[in-house]
């Protein structure tokens, strides 16, 4: 038998700490701003929504934060996740480079999202919270939090974007199987929902407003977010730390580290530990965040303060943004259809530490099909962006006569995205273009009182 | 951190041989009979459909058969599969017993089926075959063979039961994503299909006839079957062998080994290696094959010669059967809706080596929900039968003041079965009863020329 295809770790190799890049951020971290006053928002502004431990993590200056034993134990249901050498893919594209991928689709909910859902459910349980509210679009985050709530005995109430609720009944069933209440948003259960009762499809912005409204009103209820914020990215750093151990077993150092970026959490999860490794050990590793050409936040957005939601209720975050009023075309990578980007990822792109690459939808499905037929796993449309970018890196290396060690994140499986594969196979998949005019209009609406960022 | 939840093996621990129980079968093996002559069918009768290596395995008297390196390498994409200690489930049901489960849902197609699909695709490729035909009902086998065909460069043509084709579009999409041609059965591509053009839903029997007809006509095309036959059960024995190593790491010997039985391949995969272990080492392990109360082949069937398909085209097999004309009620465990049972499993049940237990549909979904909310994995409805039986064993042990070591097979995930969970959660799931009158009618139609079995 040839060298192993999978590189596995044992449960005692689940990382013991999360890696916090906040204190090492080039130029220092910029604070979020209160949406009313436009002044820096402090921990008190967040205490109606989040438990103390999470608020602390949001602004922590510690380089490493210990993972509680109960969280590590719950992560042990599926972690450490496998890393694979993509030999069959390498052979199919005829590259001399070596391609490795980390696979997060083995989690119960099928993506990396439970890494933070478990931690957030735990900290809320510790704080005496009995219910969590959240929103979900494509359903990945809602599934993850439903599962985490079941593990820690916390009720979960989910506002699911109306169009997804109608089109993705099985993601909803999955959440209900784990015991969550799922409501179609806009609902008649909140003021925000009633005010938007006329919206036939709903939106992530409305769903966020509904979930936040309920959590703010009830002392036993908190709100939970699945990406963008510092603490969420922090919880995902178990991914990258495991790949450091796994590539170590393979005796390799990556030349390039690739992950898709929507809100930024899966990219951060893989890249941040390697970025620190690069700083500490003088590696020459490059980092590529990859995004849909239809929603090119990093490659076509502005860097400034903008709201996290569409309605302007959340604090303003310092980030790349297409404008909070920008409505991305309906590409199937629902997890990447976000107007903004995590402040930590944005700062690293701004500082030139991370590159960005935008990919067209049909190109990602083409790569996904090649991957499925060689490596066997049917990827989520989000993850397919990372596959395509890995193949591009391999092609560039071959053209330059180089051999690269390429590491990418396969963040989830595509078992709930097969309707999109159907469309692609039938030649019916749209390949929507980005509207720079729509972006310019949205950017014109950026909050005027916020300071510009140099 | 407490003891590990998962027990993992490395790729070099994938078994090197399959375990063949045929030469140890109590009372010896009975031959299949030719459907025309009712005389024992020999290898020649199978050569139009199967490659030589597979036909050899069907009748082999070797106790172990070496797994080809190329097959082991392909299995390495997902094998060895994990084994878990179900601590959270144990806690939820308050048992003193220790429950372990082996999980086959990590395979690309999401069940144990690829274990044989990979082997069959390999042997057919070695024999110069360029196309495989098969039938699929719920879609698990069709998915597995599509994936295996993609790995070994063999075209796969699938006849999918009409009602499933209409109701399970995503299983079809999965097969097409791996490059297979999928036809709704009855089709207009075969004589058998044309003869049954009036059937609105199709049936497994018609789909088998279509696939067999095409394979029999073309020298470059073979037929592939996903359960029942000796060689298919043989290929599944990697499952049980891995659990022998895994329970060894845990320092345990199972008191009872449990798996669901439809055609018999997942049960055999787990149980046969342990059955041999019991014989060689004098273990006191019990074996329980579990089946739907709506299709209780082992608990309510007759033991005799019957056709493998509904139409009477295949050889007659010595097995437990509800009659080839028996149409099971539409329970969601589609993989367990089969009138017969693998001859090897049937013989062991007949000899008293294996017990059988029938479970009602609602009871299995109740167990599945408890399992999903504790262990995190949403099980396939077929696998839920094994979960429920494991819980019953634990309850019985507690009542008797015993601690049992219980091992069961979680043969697949339920990502394509969430419509059934929806119905269960809404209280709309049917709990169909078995019709003994319908069985008696079907048993009256057993082929009359076949010898009775003592």
């Amino acid at each position: 038998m040839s060298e192993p295809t999978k590189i596995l770790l044992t449960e005692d190799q689940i990382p013991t700490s999360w890696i916090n890049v906040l204190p090492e951020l080039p130029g220092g971290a910029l604070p979020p701003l209160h949406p009313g006053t436009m002044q820096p928002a402090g921990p008190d502004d967040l205490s109606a929504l989040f438990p103390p431990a999470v608020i602390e993590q949001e602004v922590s200056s510690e380089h490493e934060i210990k993972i509680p034993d109960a969280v590590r134990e719950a992560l042990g249901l599926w972690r450490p996740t496998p890393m694979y050498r993509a030999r069959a893919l390498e052979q199919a594209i005829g590259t001399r480079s070596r391609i490795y991928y980390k696979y997060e689709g083995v989690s119960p909910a099928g993506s990396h999202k439970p890494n933070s859902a478990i931690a957030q459910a735990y900290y809320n349980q510790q704080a005496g919270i009995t219910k969590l509210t959240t929103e979900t679009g494509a359903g990945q985050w809602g599934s993850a939090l439903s599962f985490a709530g079941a593990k820690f005995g916390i009720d979960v109430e989910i506002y699911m974007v109306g169009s997804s609720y109608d089109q993705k009944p099985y993601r909803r069933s999955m959440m209900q199987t784990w015991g969550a209440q799922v409501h179609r948003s806009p609902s008649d259960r909140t003021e925000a929902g009633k005010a938007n009762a006329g919206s036939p499809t709903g939106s992530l912005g409305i769903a966020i407003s509904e979930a936040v409204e309920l959590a703010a009103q009830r002392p036993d209820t908190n709100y939970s977010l699945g990406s963008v914020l510092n603490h969420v990215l922090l919880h995902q750093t178990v991914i990258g730390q495991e790949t450091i151990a796994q590539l170590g077993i393979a005796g390799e150092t990556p030349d390039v580290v690739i992950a898709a970026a929507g809100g930024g959490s899966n990219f951060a999860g893989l890249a941040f530990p390697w970025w620190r490794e690069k700083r500490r050990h003088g590696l020459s590793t490059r980092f590529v965040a990859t995004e849909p050409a239809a929603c090119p936040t990093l490659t076509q957005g502005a860097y400034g303060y903008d709201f996290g939601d569409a309605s302007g209720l959340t604090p303003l975050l310092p980030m790349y943004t297409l404008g909070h009023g920008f409505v991305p075309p309906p590409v199937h990578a629902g997890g990447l259809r976000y107007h903004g980007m995590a402040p930590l990822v944005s700062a690293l792109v701004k500082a030139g530490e991370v590159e960005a690459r935008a990919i067209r939808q049909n190109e990602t499905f083409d790569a996904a099909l090649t991957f499925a037929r060689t490596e066997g796993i049917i990827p989520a449309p989000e993850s397919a962006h990372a596959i395509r970018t890995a193949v591009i890196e391999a092609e560039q290396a071959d053209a330059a006569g180089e051999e690269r060690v390429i590491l990418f994140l396969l963040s989830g499986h595509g078992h709930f995205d097969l309707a999109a594969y159907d469309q692609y196979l039938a030649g019916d998949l749209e390949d929507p273009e980005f509207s720079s005019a729509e972006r310019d209009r949205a950017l014109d609406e950026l909050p005027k009182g916020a300071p510009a960022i140099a």
Side-chain angles (χ1 to χ4, degrees), chain A residues 89-128:
Chain A
L89 176 66
E90 290 170 16
Q91 208 178 340
I93 64 174
T95 185
R96 294 167 52 198
S97 288
R98 298 189 293 288
I99 304 178
Y100 293 87
Y101 62 96
K102 175 76 164 171
Y103 184 41
E104 290 290 305
V106 296
S107 83
S111 78
H112 64 292
K113 294 287 186 191
N115 295 329
S116 184
I118 286 288
Q120 293 190 47
Y122 168 78
Y123 286 122
N124 277 289
Q125 183 214 44
Q126 292 292 301

Side-chain angles (χ1 to χ4, degrees), chain A residues 91-437:
Chain A
Q91 208 178 340
I93 64 174
T95 185
R96 294 167 52 198
S97 288
R98 298 189 293 288
I99 304 178
Y100 293 87
Y101 62 96
K102 175 76 164 171
Y103 184 41
E104 290 290 305
V106 296
S107 83
S111 78
H112 64 292
K113 294 287 186 191
N115 295 329
S116 184
I118 286 288
Q120 293 190 47
Y122 168 78
Y123 286 122
N124 277 289
Q125 183 214 44
Q126 292 292 301
I129 293 298
T130 58
K131 183 184 272 200
L132 286 171
T133 62
T134 196
E135 72 289 334
T136 199
Q140 287 279 17
W141 171 246
S143 307
L145 196 67
S146 303
F147 156 65
K151 285 302 292 177
F152 286 99
I154 293 185
D155 291 338
V156 175
E157 190 172 322
I158 293 168
Y159 290 81
M160 188 170 185
V161 176
S163 53
S164 296
Y165 186 93
D166 301 335
Q167 290 163 11
K168 292 207 164 191
Y170 298 140
R171 271 282 170 200
R172 169 174 55 72
S173 311
M174 194 177 206
M175 299 180 229
Q176 291 168 333
T177 297
W178 279 315
Q181 280 183 55
V182 186
H183 302 292
R184 190 184 189 284
S185 173
S187 78
D188 58 2
R189 303 169 59 87
T190 66
E191 295 309 314
K194 288 174 197 162
N196 287 283
S199 166
T201 59
S203 72
L204 210 51
I206 299 169
I208 293 177
S209 303
E210 294 205 82
V212 167
E213 180 184 321
L214 287 172
Q217 285 168 358
R218 303 185 201 159
D220 61 349
T221 300
N222 267 347
Y223 169 72
S224 188
L225 190 71
S227 192
V228 180
L229 297 182
N230 299 348
H231 68 275
V232 185
L233 275 57
L234 178 78
H235 299 156
Q236 294 294 352
T237 58
V238 291
I239 301 172
Q241 291 183 75
E242 287 178 6
T243 64
I244 290 173
Q246 287 165 315
L247 273 191
I249 291 169
E252 299 266 33
T253 305
D255 294 306
V256 57
V257 169
I258 299 164
S265 80
N266 93 70
F267 176 80
L270 179 67
F272 285 5
W274 280 109
W275 180 70
R276 170 173 296 179
E277 201 73 359
K278 175 181 182 174
R279 288 165 64 86
R280 299 279 157 89
H281 302 291
L283 309 182
S284 56
T285 305
R286 293 163 46 234
F287 298 92
V288 182
T290 172
E291 60 186 9
C295 186
T297 314
L298 292 170
T299 50
Q300 305 258 358
Y303 189 53
Y305 269 106
D306 198 4
F307 296 113
D309 66 335
S311 320
L313 296 176
T314 71
L316 286 83
L317 300 172
M319 61 183 178
Y320 279 93
T321 177
L322 298 165
H324 61 277
F326 179 80
V327 179
V331 290
H332 287 280
L336 307 183
R337 290 183 64 233
Y338 183 62
H339 69 274
M341 181 58 64
L344 291 177
V345 174
S346 294
L348 288 175
V349 169
K350 183 69 182 171
E353 298 282 327
V354 170
E355 305 164 32
R357 177 184 286 275
I359 310 271
R360 294 291 288 267
Q361 173 155 279
N362 270 296
E363 219 183 332
T364 64
F365 274 85
D366 188 55
L369 221 67
T370 302
F371 188 82
R373 291 178 183 179
T374 51
E375 295 296 316
I377 300 168
I378 297 179
E382 291 84 354
S383 316
H385 288 72
I387 297 171
R388 176 60 191 145
T389 300
V391 170
I392 290 172
E393 287 283 339
E395 289 168 351
Q396 289 176 343
D398 290 331
E402 295 169 14
E403 285 179 24
R404 283 184 200 160
V405 177
I406 299 168
L407 170 64
F408 75 88
L409 183 59
L410 191 71
S411 56
H413 62 63
H415 296 173
F416 297 95
D417 302 285
L418 283 161
Y421 280 88
D422 252 6
Q423 288 177 16
Y424 177 73
L425 290 166
D428 291 341
L429 193 66
E430 288 180 14
D431 206 16
E433 297 216 40
F434 169 64
S435 162
S436 55

